[in-house]
């Protein structure tokens, strides 16, 4: 939390320039943070506009994406949670709540990480000729969840997972759902009183 101290020219409440702040020193521990209250106010306005610390964002997207591979076991909701998790990791590390648009971008980046890991797994499965074993495992999981795996539609959808069209569909789905999760998380993580 940053506190702005107005200039002490006049009595409290009678300051003729309430938007100007004195340049009193603020103790900082990081060299990339502003060193004065005025600089921190300007930086706060810039951060709220469109800036995002890329280093923190990349780490948050990778962490959420790796966890998202496992969270993705929950159909559709898992990828949405991955995007939300990326925004949570970013907020925890930077102490800054992202605007909704940047939250959606960060969530989408986590969705791309989930896709890349799953695509790598699919390619390795095809390279090592374990595709049929993987399909059999997916059918066992689906049968355990009560899905009728004998239908031609189910068989076709399983085989489409390993085609370029199936991978492209998975890319779009993971990107969109993770972006939605990131946008929702940044919206709900905002403080209740946002008066400036």
């Amino acid at each position: 939390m940053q506190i702005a101290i107005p200039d002490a020219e006049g009595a409290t409440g009678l300051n003729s320039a309430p938007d100007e702040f004195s340049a009193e020193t603020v103790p900082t521990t990081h060299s990339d943070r502003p060193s004065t209250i005025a600089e921190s106010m300007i930086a706060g306005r810039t951060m709220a506009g469109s800036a995002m610390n890329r280093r923190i964002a990349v780490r948050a997207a990778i962490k959420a994406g790796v966890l998202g591979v496992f969270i993705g076991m929950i159909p559709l909701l898992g990828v949405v949670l991955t995007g939300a998790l990326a925004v949570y990791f970013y907020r925890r590390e930077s102490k800054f709540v992202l605007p909704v648009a940047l939250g959606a971008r960060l969530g989408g980046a986590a969705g791309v990480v989930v896709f890349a890991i799953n695509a790598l797994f699919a390619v390795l499965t095809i390279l090592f000729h374990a595709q049929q074993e993987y399909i059999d495992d997916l059918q066992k999981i689906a049968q355990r969840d009560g899905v009728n795996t004998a239908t031609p539609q189910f068989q076709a959808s399983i085989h489409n997972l390993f085609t370029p069209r199936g991978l492209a569909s998975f890319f779009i789905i993971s990107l969109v759902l993770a972006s939605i999760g990131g946008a929702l998380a940044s919206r709900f993580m905002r403080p209740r009183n946002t008066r400036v």
Side-chain angles (χ1 to χ4, degrees):
M1 184 168 139
Q2 299 172 351
I3 299 173
I5 302 170
D7 288 333
E9 293 175 4
T12 306
L14 300 177
N15 191 352
S16 61
D19 292 331
E20 296 178 16
F21 300 100
S22 64
E24 301 217 6
T25 311
V26 175
T28 58
T29 57
H30 300 291
S31 61
D32 61 341
R33 290 191 181 170
S35 62
T36 65
I37 293 174
E39 288 176 4
S40 65
M41 293 299 291
I42 292 170
R45 288 186 195 129
T46 304
M47 289 294 287
S50 64
M52 180 175 11
N53 187 329
R54 288 188 182 180
R55 201 171 8 166
I56 296 173
V58 168
R59 282 194 304 257
I62 290 173
K63 281 190 243 180
V66 169
L67 289 174
V69 172
F70 302 108
I71 297 171
M73 301 291 183
I74 305 169
L76 300 179
L77 183 62
V79 182
V80 174
L81 291 174
T82 300
L85 195 60
V87 172
Y88 171 75
F89 285 150
Y90 184 87
R91 180 180 181 211
R92 188 176 72 175
E93 195 167 335
S94 72
K95 309 287 189 265
F96 177 71
V97 179
L98 290 173
V100 174
L102 290 178
R105 286 176 61 186
L106 184 59
V112 169
V113 172
V114 169
F115 167 76
I117 293 171
N118 284 327
L120 179 66
F121 182 68
V123 167
L124 291 175
T125 301
I126 292 170
L127 285 178
F128 291 118
H129 305 290
Q131 183 175 356
Q132 189 58 46
E133 295 165 8
Y134 183 67
I135 290 172
D136 292 341
D137 289 341
L138 285 176
Q139 286 178 343
K140 288 177 188 175
I141 292 170
Q143 285 174 348
R144 192 174 13 161
D145 291 339
V147 177
N148 184 7
T149 59
T151 63
Q153 293 87 3
F154 182 81
Q155 296 293 328
S157 65
I158 291 292
H159 287 287
N160 281 340
L161 289 175
F162 295 99
T163 64
R165 181 178 175 190
L167 288 175
S169 298
F170 180 65
F171 174 74
I172 292 170
I173 289 169
S174 63
L175 182 68
V176 169
L177 290 178
S179 294
I180 290 170
L184 288 174
S186 64
R187 173 69 179 108
F188 290 121
M189 285 184 183
R190 287 209 169 278
R192 297 284 182 209
N193 53 356
T194 56
R195 288 188 239 171
V196 177

